[in-house]
PDB file of all heavy atoms in Angstrom:
ATOM      1  N   ALA A  75     -85.184  28.147  -5.140  1.00  0.00           N
ATOM      2  CA  ALA A  75     -85.372  28.437  -3.729  1.00  0.00           C
ATOM      3  C   ALA A  75     -86.859  28.460  -3.446  1.00  0.00           C
ATOM      4  O   ALA A  75     -87.677  28.751  -4.334  1.00  0.00           O
ATOM      5  CB  ALA A  75     -84.740  29.783  -3.380  1.00  0.00           C
ATOM      6  N   PRO A  76     -87.273  28.154  -2.199  1.00  0.00           N
ATOM      7  CA  PRO A  76     -88.693  28.102  -1.891  1.00  0.00           C
ATOM      8  C   PRO A  76     -89.446  29.348  -2.327  1.00  0.00           C
ATOM      9  O   PRO A  76     -90.570  29.274  -2.827  1.00  0.00           O
ATOM     10  CB  PRO A  76     -88.709  27.921  -0.371  1.00  0.00           C
ATOM     11  CG  PRO A  76     -87.437  27.192  -0.084  1.00  0.00           C
ATOM     12  CD  PRO A  76     -86.447  27.745  -1.059  1.00  0.00           C
ATOM     13  N   ALA A  77     -88.858  30.523  -2.175  1.00  0.00           N
ATOM     14  CA  ALA A  77     -89.538  31.759  -2.530  1.00  0.00           C
ATOM     15  C   ALA A  77     -89.780  31.871  -4.023  1.00  0.00           C
ATOM     16  O   ALA A  77     -90.634  32.627  -4.481  1.00  0.00           O
ATOM     17  CB  ALA A  77     -88.727  32.959  -2.040  1.00  0.00           C
ATOM     18  N   ASP A  78     -89.018  31.110  -4.796  1.00  0.00           N
ATOM     19  CA  ASP A  78     -89.138  31.187  -6.249  1.00  0.00           C
ATOM     20  C   ASP A  78     -90.044  30.113  -6.822  1.00  0.00           C
ATOM     21  O   ASP A  78     -90.239  30.047  -8.032  1.00  0.00           O
ATOM     22  CB  ASP A  78     -87.750  31.051  -6.897  1.00  0.00           C
ATOM     23  CG  ASP A  78     -86.838  32.195  -6.511  1.00  0.00           C
ATOM     24  OD1 ASP A  78     -87.368  33.284  -6.261  1.00  0.00           O
ATOM     25  OD2 ASP A  78     -85.613  31.968  -6.469  1.00  0.00           O
ATOM     26  N   HIS A  79     -90.604  29.250  -5.970  1.00  0.00           N
ATOM     27  CA  HIS A  79     -91.375  28.115  -6.472  1.00  0.00           C
ATOM     28  C   HIS A  79     -92.576  28.563  -7.300  1.00  0.00           C
ATOM     29  O   HIS A  79     -92.856  28.003  -8.355  1.00  0.00           O
ATOM     30  CB  HIS A  79     -91.858  27.237  -5.313  1.00  0.00           C
ATOM     31  CG  HIS A  79     -90.845  26.224  -4.878  1.00  0.00           C
ATOM     32  ND1 HIS A  79     -89.779  25.851  -5.661  1.00  0.00           N
ATOM     33  CD2 HIS A  79     -90.750  25.489  -3.730  1.00  0.00           C
ATOM     34  CE1 HIS A  79     -89.064  24.942  -5.018  1.00  0.00           C
ATOM     35  NE2 HIS A  79     -89.630  24.708  -3.850  1.00  0.00           N
ATOM     36  N   ALA A  80     -93.311  29.557  -6.823  1.00  0.00           N
ATOM     37  CA  ALA A  80     -94.513  29.988  -7.528  1.00  0.00           C
ATOM     38  C   ALA A  80     -94.164  30.516  -8.916  1.00  0.00           C
ATOM     39  O   ALA A  80     -94.823  30.197  -9.908  1.00  0.00           O
ATOM     40  CB  ALA A  80     -95.243  31.056  -6.722  1.00  0.00           C
ATOM     41  N   GLN A  81     -93.106  31.316  -8.977  1.00  0.00           N
ATOM     42  CA  GLN A  81     -92.682  31.858 -10.261  1.00  0.00           C
ATOM     43  C   GLN A  81     -92.212  30.735 -11.190  1.00  0.00           C
ATOM     44  O   GLN A  81     -92.555  30.713 -12.377  1.00  0.00           O
ATOM     45  CB  GLN A  81     -91.564  32.877 -10.073  1.00  0.00           C
ATOM     46  CG  GLN A  81     -91.068  33.487 -11.379  1.00  0.00           C
ATOM     47  CD  GLN A  81     -89.947  34.483 -11.142  1.00  0.00           C
ATOM     48  OE1 GLN A  81     -89.577  34.762 -10.006  1.00  0.00           O
ATOM     49  NE2 GLN A  81     -89.412  35.021 -12.225  1.00  0.00           N
ATOM     50  N   ALA A  82     -91.421  29.794 -10.637  1.00  0.00           N
ATOM     51  CA  ALA A  82     -90.924  28.687 -11.444  1.00  0.00           C
ATOM     52  C   ALA A  82     -92.077  27.833 -11.959  1.00  0.00           C
ATOM     53  O   ALA A  82     -92.077  27.388 -13.109  1.00  0.00           O
ATOM     54  CB  ALA A  82     -89.954  27.841 -10.628  1.00  0.00           C
ATOM     55  N   GLN A  83     -93.075  27.582 -11.092  1.00  0.00           N
ATOM     56  CA  GLN A  83     -94.222  26.784 -11.508  1.00  0.00           C
ATOM     57  C   GLN A  83     -95.006  27.493 -12.613  1.00  0.00           C
ATOM     58  O   GLN A  83     -95.463  26.870 -13.570  1.00  0.00           O
ATOM     59  CB  GLN A  83     -95.143  26.520 -10.307  1.00  0.00           C
ATOM     60  CG  GLN A  83     -96.262  25.527 -10.580  1.00  0.00           C
ATOM     61  CD  GLN A  83     -95.749  24.112 -10.689  1.00  0.00           C
ATOM     62  OE1 GLN A  83     -94.691  23.788 -10.159  1.00  0.00           O
ATOM     63  NE2 GLN A  83     -96.481  23.258 -11.381  1.00  0.00           N
ATOM     64  N   ALA A  84     -95.152  28.806 -12.496  1.00  0.00           N
ATOM     65  CA  ALA A  84     -95.877  29.566 -13.517  1.00  0.00           C
ATOM     66  C   ALA A  84     -95.155  29.490 -14.858  1.00  0.00           C
ATOM     67  O   ALA A  84     -95.788  29.334 -15.911  1.00  0.00           O
ATOM     68  CB  ALA A  84     -96.025  31.017 -13.078  1.00  0.00           C
ATOM     69  N   GLN A  85     -93.819  29.585 -14.816  1.00  0.00           N
ATOM     70  CA  GLN A  85     -93.047  29.486 -16.044  1.00  0.00           C
ATOM     71  C   GLN A  85     -93.181  28.096 -16.657  1.00  0.00           C
ATOM     72  O   GLN A  85     -93.292  27.948 -17.876  1.00  0.00           O
ATOM     73  CB  GLN A  85     -91.580  29.804 -15.765  1.00  0.00           C
ATOM     74  CG  GLN A  85     -91.332  31.261 -15.408  1.00  0.00           C
ATOM     75  CD  GLN A  85     -89.896  31.514 -14.986  1.00  0.00           C
ATOM     76  OE1 GLN A  85     -89.153  30.579 -14.674  1.00  0.00           O
ATOM     77  NE2 GLN A  85     -89.496  32.775 -14.968  1.00  0.00           N
ATOM     78  N   LEU A  86     -93.161  27.082 -15.778  1.00  0.00           N
ATOM     79  CA  LEU A  86     -93.321  25.702 -16.247  1.00  0.00           C
ATOM     80  C   LEU A  86     -94.649  25.533 -16.967  1.00  0.00           C
ATOM     81  O   LEU A  86     -94.716  24.982 -18.068  1.00  0.00           O
ATOM     82  CB  LEU A  86     -93.223  24.766 -15.050  1.00  0.00           C
ATOM     83  CG  LEU A  86     -93.363  23.259 -15.273  1.00  0.00           C
ATOM     84  CD1 LEU A  86     -92.590  22.529 -14.185  1.00  0.00           C
ATOM     85  CD2 LEU A  86     -94.817  22.813 -15.226  1.00  0.00           C
ATOM     86  N   GLU A  87     -95.743  26.022 -16.356  1.00  0.00           N
ATOM     87  CA  GLU A  87     -97.054  25.848 -16.938  1.00  0.00           C
ATOM     88  C   GLU A  87     -97.190  26.643 -18.236  1.00  0.00           C
ATOM     89  O   GLU A  87     -97.865  26.220 -19.174  1.00  0.00           O
ATOM     90  CB  GLU A  87     -98.118  26.256 -15.923  1.00  0.00           C
ATOM     91  CG  GLU A  87     -98.185  25.298 -14.732  1.00  0.00           C
ATOM     92  CD  GLU A  87     -99.056  25.810 -13.605  1.00  0.00           C
ATOM     93  OE1 GLU A  87     -99.489  26.975 -13.692  1.00  0.00           O
ATOM     94  OE2 GLU A  87     -99.296  25.054 -12.657  1.00  0.00           O
ATOM     95  N   GLU A  88     -96.512  27.788 -18.279  1.00  0.00           N
ATOM     96  CA  GLU A  88     -96.567  28.598 -19.491  1.00  0.00           C
ATOM     97  C   GLU A  88     -95.931  27.849 -20.666  1.00  0.00           C
ATOM     98  O   GLU A  88     -96.385  27.942 -21.801  1.00  0.00           O
ATOM     99  CB  GLU A  88     -95.827  29.928 -19.256  1.00  0.00           C
ATOM    100  CG  GLU A  88     -95.882  30.883 -20.430  1.00  0.00           C
ATOM    101  CD  GLU A  88     -95.178  32.189 -20.132  1.00  0.00           C
ATOM    102  OE1 GLU A  88     -94.939  32.474 -18.943  1.00  0.00           O
ATOM    103  OE2 GLU A  88     -94.857  32.906 -21.088  1.00  0.00           O
ATOM    104  N   ARG A  89     -94.880  27.101 -20.391  1.00  0.00           N
ATOM    105  CA  ARG A  89     -94.227  26.338 -21.440  1.00  0.00           C
ATOM    106  C   ARG A  89     -94.984  25.056 -21.783  1.00  0.00           C
ATOM    107  O   ARG A  89     -94.679  24.387 -22.756  1.00  0.00           O
ATOM    108  CB  ARG A  89     -92.808  25.954 -21.006  1.00  0.00           C
ATOM    109  CG  ARG A  89     -91.870  27.129 -20.772  1.00  0.00           C
ATOM    110  CD  ARG A  89     -90.522  26.622 -20.329  1.00  0.00           C
ATOM    111  NE  ARG A  89     -89.722  27.681 -19.727  1.00  0.00           N
ATOM    112  CZ  ARG A  89     -88.531  27.499 -19.184  1.00  0.00           C
ATOM    113  NH1 ARG A  89     -88.008  26.287 -19.152  1.00  0.00           N
ATOM    114  NH2 ARG A  89     -87.861  28.493 -18.656  1.00  0.00           N
ATOM    115  N   GLY A  90     -95.949  24.678 -20.970  1.00  0.00           N
ATOM    116  CA  GLY A  90     -96.722  23.476 -21.239  1.00  0.00           C
ATOM    117  C   GLY A  90     -96.001  22.198 -20.899  1.00  0.00           C
ATOM    118  O   GLY A  90     -96.342  21.127 -21.428  1.00  0.00           O
ATOM    119  N   ARG A  91     -95.009  22.253 -20.031  1.00  0.00           N
ATOM    120  CA  ARG A  91     -94.254  21.049 -19.695  1.00  0.00           C
ATOM    121  C   ARG A  91     -95.168  19.996 -19.080  1.00  0.00           C
ATOM    122  O   ARG A  91     -95.957  20.275 -18.196  1.00  0.00           O
ATOM    123  CB  ARG A  91     -93.121  21.381 -18.722  1.00  0.00           C
ATOM    124  CG  ARG A  91     -91.905  21.984 -19.398  1.00  0.00           C
ATOM    125  CD  ARG A  91     -90.786  22.192 -18.388  1.00  0.00           C
ATOM    126  NE  ARG A  91     -90.541  21.001 -17.574  1.00  0.00           N
ATOM    127  CZ  ARG A  91     -89.751  20.986 -16.502  1.00  0.00           C
ATOM    128  NH1 ARG A  91     -89.141  22.101 -16.115  1.00  0.00           N
ATOM    129  NH2 ARG A  91     -89.575  19.865 -15.828  1.00  0.00           N
ATOM    130  N   GLY A  92     -95.024  18.773 -19.575  1.00  0.00           N
ATOM    131  CA  GLY A  92     -95.843  17.676 -19.081  1.00  0.00           C
ATOM    132  C   GLY A  92     -97.192  17.560 -19.758  1.00  0.00           C
ATOM    133  O   GLY A  92     -97.948  16.630 -19.457  1.00  0.00           O
ATOM    134  N   THR A  93     -97.516  18.468 -20.672  1.00  0.00           N
ATOM    135  CA  THR A  93     -98.778  18.386 -21.404  1.00  0.00           C
ATOM    136  C   THR A  93     -98.770  17.161 -22.313  1.00  0.00           C
ATOM    137  O   THR A  93     -97.809  16.925 -23.047  1.00  0.00           O
ATOM    138  CB  THR A  93     -99.005  19.648 -22.256  1.00  0.00           C
ATOM    139  OG1 THR A  93     -99.025  20.790 -21.405  1.00  0.00           O
ATOM    140  CG2 THR A  93    -100.320  19.555 -23.027  1.00  0.00           C
ATOM    141  N   LEU A  94     -99.838  16.411 -22.268  1.00  0.00           N
ATOM    142  CA  LEU A  94     -99.944  15.208 -23.085  1.00  0.00           C
ATOM    143  C   LEU A  94    -100.229  15.596 -24.537  1.00  0.00           C
ATOM    144  O   LEU A  94    -101.170  16.332 -24.826  1.00  0.00           O
ATOM    145  CB  LEU A  94    -101.064  14.319 -22.550  1.00  0.00           C
ATOM    146  CG  LEU A  94    -101.247  12.955 -23.212  1.00  0.00           C
ATOM    147  CD1 LEU A  94    -100.043  12.064 -22.944  1.00  0.00           C
ATOM    148  CD2 LEU A  94    -102.522  12.284 -22.683  1.00  0.00           C
ATOM    149  N   VAL A  95     -99.396  15.103 -25.459  1.00  0.00           N
ATOM    150  CA  VAL A  95     -99.581  15.339 -26.891  1.00  0.00           C
ATOM    151  C   VAL A  95    -100.387  14.207 -27.521  1.00  0.00           C
ATOM    152  O   VAL A  95    -101.315  14.437 -28.299  1.00  0.00           O
ATOM    153  CB  VAL A  95     -98.222  15.488 -27.603  1.00  0.00           C
ATOM    154  CG1 VAL A  95     -98.407  15.602 -29.113  1.00  0.00           C
ATOM    155  CG2 VAL A  95     -97.457  16.690 -27.059  1.00  0.00           C
ATOM    156  N   SER A  96    -100.052  12.967 -27.180  1.00  0.00           N
ATOM    157  CA  SER A  96    -100.781  11.826 -27.728  1.00  0.00           C
ATOM    158  C   SER A  96    -100.596  10.623 -26.826  1.00  0.00           C
ATOM    159  O   SER A  96     -99.637  10.549 -26.041  1.00  0.00           O
ATOM    160  CB  SER A  96    -100.301  11.491 -29.146  1.00  0.00           C
ATOM    161  OG  SER A  96     -98.953  11.037 -29.124  1.00  0.00           O
ATOM    162  N   ALA A  97    -101.515   9.680 -26.942  1.00  0.00           N
ATOM    163  CA  ALA A  97    -101.438   8.414 -26.205  1.00  0.00           C
ATOM    164  C   ALA A  97    -101.853   7.291 -27.139  1.00  0.00           C
ATOM    165  O   ALA A  97    -102.886   7.387 -27.812  1.00  0.00           O
ATOM    166  CB  ALA A  97    -102.336   8.445 -24.977  1.00  0.00           C
ATOM    167  N   GLU A  98    -101.066   6.246 -27.186  1.00  0.00           N
ATOM    168  CA  GLU A  98    -101.312   5.116 -28.073  1.00  0.00           C
ATOM    169  C   GLU A  98    -101.224   3.819 -27.286  1.00  0.00           C
ATOM    170  O   GLU A  98    -100.215   3.561 -26.618  1.00  0.00           O
ATOM    171  CB  GLU A  98    -100.274   5.110 -29.196  1.00  0.00           C
ATOM    172  CG  GLU A  98    -100.321   3.904 -30.105  1.00  0.00           C
ATOM    173  CD  GLU A  98     -99.145   3.847 -31.062  1.00  0.00           C
ATOM    174  OE1 GLU A  98     -98.269   4.746 -31.016  1.00  0.00           O
ATOM    175  OE2 GLU A  98     -99.086   2.890 -31.861  1.00  0.00           O
ATOM    176  N   LYS A  99    -102.285   3.029 -27.343  1.00  0.00           N
ATOM    177  CA  LYS A  99    -102.223   1.714 -26.695  1.00  0.00           C
ATOM    178  C   LYS A  99    -101.304   0.823 -27.515  1.00  0.00           C
ATOM    179  O   LYS A  99    -101.477   0.660 -28.718  1.00  0.00           O
ATOM    180  CB  LYS A  99    -103.600   1.080 -26.579  1.00  0.00           C
ATOM    181  CG  LYS A  99    -103.567  -0.268 -25.861  1.00  0.00           C
ATOM    182  CD  LYS A  99    -104.918  -0.943 -25.824  1.00  0.00           C
ATOM    183  CE  LYS A  99    -105.853  -0.272 -24.842  1.00  0.00           C
ATOM    184  NZ  LYS A  99    -107.124  -1.053 -24.663  1.00  0.00           N
ATOM    185  N   LEU A 100    -100.312   0.242 -26.851  1.00  0.00           N
ATOM    186  CA  LEU A 100     -99.333  -0.602 -27.532  1.00  0.00           C
ATOM    187  C   LEU A 100     -99.714  -2.072 -27.500  1.00  0.00           C
ATOM    188  O   LEU A 100     -99.662  -2.764 -28.519  1.00  0.00           O
ATOM    189  CB  LEU A 100     -97.957  -0.410 -26.895  1.00  0.00           C
ATOM    190  CG  LEU A 100     -97.365   0.999 -26.964  1.00  0.00           C
ATOM    191  CD1 LEU A 100     -96.043   1.057 -26.204  1.00  0.00           C
ATOM    192  CD2 LEU A 100     -97.169   1.429 -28.417  1.00  0.00           C
ATOM    193  N   TYR A 101    -100.092  -2.572 -26.330  1.00  0.00           N
ATOM    194  CA  TYR A 101    -100.455  -3.983 -26.203  1.00  0.00           C
ATOM    195  C   TYR A 101    -101.103  -4.220 -24.851  1.00  0.00           C
ATOM    196  O   TYR A 101    -100.979  -3.399 -23.928  1.00  0.00           O
ATOM    197  CB  TYR A 101     -99.237  -4.900 -26.363  1.00  0.00           C
ATOM    198  CG  TYR A 101     -98.027  -4.526 -25.520  1.00  0.00           C
ATOM    199  CD1 TYR A 101     -97.857  -5.032 -24.226  1.00  0.00           C
ATOM    200  CD2 TYR A 101     -97.051  -3.684 -26.033  1.00  0.00           C
ATOM    201  CE1 TYR A 101     -96.754  -4.697 -23.472  1.00  0.00           C
ATOM    202  CE2 TYR A 101     -95.934  -3.344 -25.273  1.00  0.00           C
ATOM    203  CZ  TYR A 101     -95.790  -3.853 -24.000  1.00  0.00           C
ATOM    204  OH  TYR A 101     -94.688  -3.522 -23.234  1.00  0.00           O
ATOM    205  N   THR A 102    -101.809  -5.321 -24.751  1.00  0.00           N
ATOM    206  CA  THR A 102    -102.439  -5.738 -23.502  1.00  0.00           C
ATOM    207  C   THR A 102    -102.020  -7.170 -23.199  1.00  0.00           C
ATOM    208  O   THR A 102    -102.089  -8.044 -24.065  1.00  0.00           O
ATOM    209  CB  THR A 102    -103.969  -5.666 -23.593  1.00  0.00           C
ATOM    210  OG1 THR A 102    -104.370  -4.337 -23.901  1.00  0.00           O
ATOM    211  CG2 THR A 102    -104.606  -6.086 -22.264  1.00  0.00           C
TER     212      THR A 102
END
């Protein structure tokens, strides 16, 4: 719910969701 967005976002960031672990160039 809209009122819960801030809390949900904080929990998301605490878990590190979307944090980049590694990047590898495959081909060009």
Side-chain angles (χ1 to χ4, degrees):
D78 296 331
H79 275 342
Q81 180 181 357
Q83 189 73 24
Q85 291 174 344
L86 180 152
E87 292 170 352
E88 183 178 343
R89 297 179 197 176
R91 280 184 49 190
T93 301
L94 185 66
V95 175
S96 66
E98 174 189 1
K99 182 184 287 188
L100 298 176
Y101 50 90
T102 301

